[in-house]
């Protein structure tokens, strides 16, 4: 039997599914965040560890060289800022964590450190920062840059950035606020210090002007897939987002991260790996298979998938024949892990057509389809074979129906088996992650 594992949900502050029969009546009002708050409340009832809000800061035009694919299919745009939504979700929930994505390429370190500390205080210790270095030149051009640095150099920048924000969070001792009425002292100046940071890329005097948050520093998430990305994630992250690549690939990734963490002087058990999956759950296996086919085997989905992977990698996949294998040797300065996963397809031997690769991308390398009992069986076996630590649910074309199928259909079966938590026992997100 698998040991207890964690659950998170990977999502975007974008329109939910709007052009099918499953669309919510209030879908046009998604920018007010209420759809995503309802989603978060369902997740909290199911005792998810956290909701993770992804982000990019551009309107993509890699697919076909125009913005049509992105805007027509609502892929990458419109996309609203994750931090205000994280604050709203935190205010409307009480126990579940909420994680926002912010880029080391575009946020000044002091601004991000101050913002993250503030949100963690509002969330009472339930906030996390998903560290990205960004991968799109179009995003860089929105901030006055011609393009992004080379892939590994972005991680060099992120390393120094992380060191600086950690020093800023540590610029106040945990007990710096004394509120001594006799001496009229709110904060003890001897327990607040400058950081005087001077690095290759950044310089900051400090200190922060925010009080220490409940976690002192927010919970850190990262998604390193390349060797350089894995090294950074093993050093910095409390939890790592990984794309499923089949049991063997997922086990190799987890074993590698744990070895890197130990080599960096960390306890490998302090880092939790969440593998992205997209289960399809229904009352019968036939219904689940039918739902999966409706979702994946249509030209609308294929185009959405290709717009997305084009945007992540900055490779124009519209130039290739849908029903022919892709040429070998494709490379990118964008998200190398995303390209590697996409090119792998479903992991079966033999060349795959571009259409087959796009459809396979829906399952994120791990296909869980069936009744709640069947999918729970599959997840339990996968986690037993991998060794831990959890799954991150993600679904393109999000609907209330899909959220309910997971939170009120699948999760209760996992809970009955003792595989996922049935209640929260810890206060902060970091403590929740490290509970088991």
């Amino acid at each position: 039997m698998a040991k207890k594992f964690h659950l998170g949900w990977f999502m975007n502050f974008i329109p939910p599914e709007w052009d099918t029969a499953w669309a919510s009546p209030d879908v046009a009002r998604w920018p007010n965040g209420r759809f995503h708050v309802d989603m978060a409340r369902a997740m909290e009832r199911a005792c998810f560890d956290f909701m993770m809000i992804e982000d990019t800061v551009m309107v993509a035009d890699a697919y076909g060289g125009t913005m049509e694919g992105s805007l027509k299919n609502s892929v990458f745009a419109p996309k609203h800022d994750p931090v205000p939504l994280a604050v709203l979700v935190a205010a409307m929930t009480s126990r579940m964590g909420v994680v926002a994505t912010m880029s080391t390429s575009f946020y000044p370190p002091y601004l991000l450190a101050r913002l993250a500390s503030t949100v963690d205080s509002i969330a009472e210790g339930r906030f996390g920062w998903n560290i990205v270095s960004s991968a799109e030149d179009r995003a860089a051009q929105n901030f006055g840059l011609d393009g992004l640095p080379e892939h590994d150099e972005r991680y060099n920048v992120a390393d120094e950035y992380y060191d600086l924000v950690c020093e800023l969070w540590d610029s106040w001792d945990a007990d710096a606020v004394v509120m001594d009425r006799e001496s009229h002292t709110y904060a003890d100046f001897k327990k607040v210090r400058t950081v005087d940071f001077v690095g290759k890329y950044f310089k900051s005097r400090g200190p922060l002007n925010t009080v220490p948050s409940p976690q002192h520093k927010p919970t850190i998430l990262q998604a390193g897939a390349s060797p350089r990305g894995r090294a950074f994630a093993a050093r910095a992250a409390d939890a790592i987002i990984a794309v499923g690549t089949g049991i063997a690939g997922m086990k190799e990734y987890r074993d590698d991260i744990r070895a890197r963490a130990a080599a960096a002087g960390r306890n490998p058990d302090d880092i939790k790996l969440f593998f992205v999956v997209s289960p399809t759950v229904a009352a019968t296996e036939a219904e689940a298979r039918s739902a999966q086919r409706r979702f994946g085997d249509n030209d609308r989905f294929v185009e959405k998938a290709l717009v997305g992977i084009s945007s992540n990698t900055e490779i124009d996949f519209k130039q290739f024949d849908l029903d022919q294998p892709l040429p070998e040797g494709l490379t990118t300065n964008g998200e190398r892990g995303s390209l590697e996963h996409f090119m792998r397809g479903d992991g079966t031997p033999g060349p795959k057509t571009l259409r087959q690769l796009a459809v396979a991308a829906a399952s994120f390398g791990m296909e869980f389809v069936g009744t709640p009992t069947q999918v729970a069986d599959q997840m339990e076996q996968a986690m037993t074979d991998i060794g831990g630590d959890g799954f991150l649910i993600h679904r393109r074309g999000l609907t209330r129906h899909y959220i309910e199928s997971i939170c009120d259909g699948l999760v209760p079966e996992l809970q009955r088996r003792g595989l996922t938590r049935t209640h929260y026992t810890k206060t902060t997100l970091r403590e929740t992650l490290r509970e088991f």
Side-chain angles (χ1 to χ4, degrees):
M1 177 178 171
K3 62 183 181 181
K4 187 177 290 187
F5 55 81
H6 298 264
L7 291 175
W9 201 305
F10 178 104
M11 46 77 68
N12 326 85
F13 194 4
I14 61 174
E17 191 165 294
W18 56 273
D19 57 350
T20 72
W22 292 113
S24 300
D26 60 347
V27 67
R29 295 195 297 276
W30 69 270
N32 67 15
R34 297 297 173 176
F35 174 92
H36 299 91
V37 167
D38 288 350
M39 173 186 177
R41 285 172 166 166
M43 291 167 51
E44 189 168 63
R45 289 197 306 272
C47 296
F48 274 67
D49 286 40
F50 61 85
M51 166 192 279
M52 204 287 284
I53 312 170
E54 177 270 351
D55 195 30
T56 49
V57 286
M58 62 169 187
V59 179
D61 64 354
Y63 184 75
T66 78
M67 295 184 288
E68 179 184 7
S70 178
L71 293 170
K72 171 187 172 184
N73 294 288
S74 63
V75 176
F76 280 81
K79 180 180 291 184
H80 286 200
D81 194 295
V83 178
L85 180 60
V87 173
L88 180 63
V89 166
M92 302 299 284
T93 57
S94 61
R95 304 303 298 274
M96 186 184 70
V98 58
V99 179
T101 300
M102 294 180 280
S103 175
T104 57
S105 293
F106 307 132
Y107 275 83
Y110 189 96
L111 177 64
L112 186 143
R114 183 173 185 258
L115 177 62
S117 179
T118 301
V119 179
D120 192 47
S121 290
I122 293 172
E124 298 183 307
R126 294 181 289 123
F127 180 64
W129 169 31
N130 177 41
I131 302 178
V132 298
S133 60
S134 296
E136 307 88 8
D137 286 340
R138 283 291 186 252
Q141 289 159 13
N142 289 333
F143 293 85
L145 306 172
D146 293 329
L148 288 169
E150 187 274 333
H151 176 277
D152 286 3
E153 175 65 4
R154 296 200 298 271
Y155 275 108
N156 295 338
V157 174
D159 264 322
E160 185 175 294
Y161 191 111
Y162 176 72
D163 288 339
L164 171 52
V165 294
C166 285
E167 289 194 24
L168 288 167
W169 287 320
D170 288 339
S171 63
W172 287 59
D173 290 346
D175 60 350
V177 176
V178 295
M179 285 196 293
D180 186 333
R181 294 187 178 185
E182 291 187 6
S183 65
H184 306 287
T185 301
Y186 186 84
D188 184 346
F189 80 97
K190 296 177 182 177
K191 296 183 178 183
V192 181
R193 67 197 64 82
T194 63
V195 300
D196 300 311
F197 187 97
V198 179
K200 180 179 178 181
Y201 308 101
F202 302 107
K203 182 178 180 180
S204 181
R205 176 182 180 272
L208 284 183
N209 63 347
T210 54
V211 300
S213 73
Q215 295 184 107
H216 208 86
K217 75 172 183 178
T219 299
I220 302 297
L221 273 72
Q222 221 276 317
S226 67
R228 184 65 183 86
R230 293 185 185 196
F232 177 72
R235 179 174 91 90
D238 296 296
I240 297 175
I241 303 162
V243 175
T245 54
I247 296 296
M250 293 157 83
K251 186 178 188 313
E252 180 279 328
Y253 184 92
R254 183 173 186 268
D255 291 346
D256 181 58
I257 288 292
R258 290 176 65 83
R260 290 175 184 268
R266 298 187 65 192
N267 179 356
D269 290 338
D270 287 346
I271 305 174
K272 305 302 180 183
L273 268 72
F274 285 78
F275 293 98
V276 183
V277 294
S278 185
T280 303
V281 183
T284 68
E285 181 179 359
E287 290 176 42
R289 294 286 176 191
S290 177
Q292 184 194 38
R293 286 192 296 272
R294 286 197 304 272
F295 181 75
D297 294 349
N298 63 72
D299 289 341
R300 183 175 63 87
F301 170 80
V302 168
E303 184 177 65
K304 279 191 173 185
L306 295 180
V307 171
I309 189 63
S310 293
S311 302
N312 283 329
T313 63
E314 298 193 324
I315 297 171
D316 179 10
F317 283 93
K318 192 173 184 180
Q319 66 183 299
F320 304 118
D321 190 319
L322 274 176
D323 297 305
Q324 294 294 323
L326 286 170
E328 295 184 3
L330 291 179
T331 60
T332 181
N333 190 40
E335 292 186 11
R336 292 178 182 172
S338 295
L339 179 62
E340 178 187 354
H341 164 68
F342 181 74
M343 296 291 286
R344 186 180 289 110
D346 60 8
T348 58
K352 304 290 186 300
T353 67
L354 180 57
R355 187 188 303 276
Q356 290 171 323
L357 292 175
V359 172
S363 66
F364 298 96
M366 183 62 62
E367 184 177 271
F368 297 139
V369 182
T371 66
T373 298
Q374 290 172 319
V375 173
D377 285 342
Q378 296 159 20
M379 295 177 78
E380 180 176 7
Q381 187 60 55
M383 197 51 57
T384 298
D385 294 341
I386 296 163
D389 297 287
F391 293 110
L392 196 63
I393 308 298
H394 177 54
R395 183 73 158 193
R396 296 186 180 96
L398 195 60
T399 65
R400 295 182 189 274
H401 177 267
Y402 182 74
I403 295 165
E404 291 169 359
S405 76
I406 301 299
C407 295
D408 301 321
L410 172 61
V411 174
E413 178 61 27
L414 295 173
Q415 291 172 330
R416 280 190 287 271
R417 300 176 183 214
L419 294 174
T420 60
R421 73 175 77 250
T422 57
H423 60 284
Y424 298 96
T425 64
K426 305 298 181 182
T427 302
T428 70
L429 176 54
R430 184 174 287 107
E431 290 171 330
T432 295
L433 288 169
R434 294 183 181 179
E435 182 182 4
F436 51 83

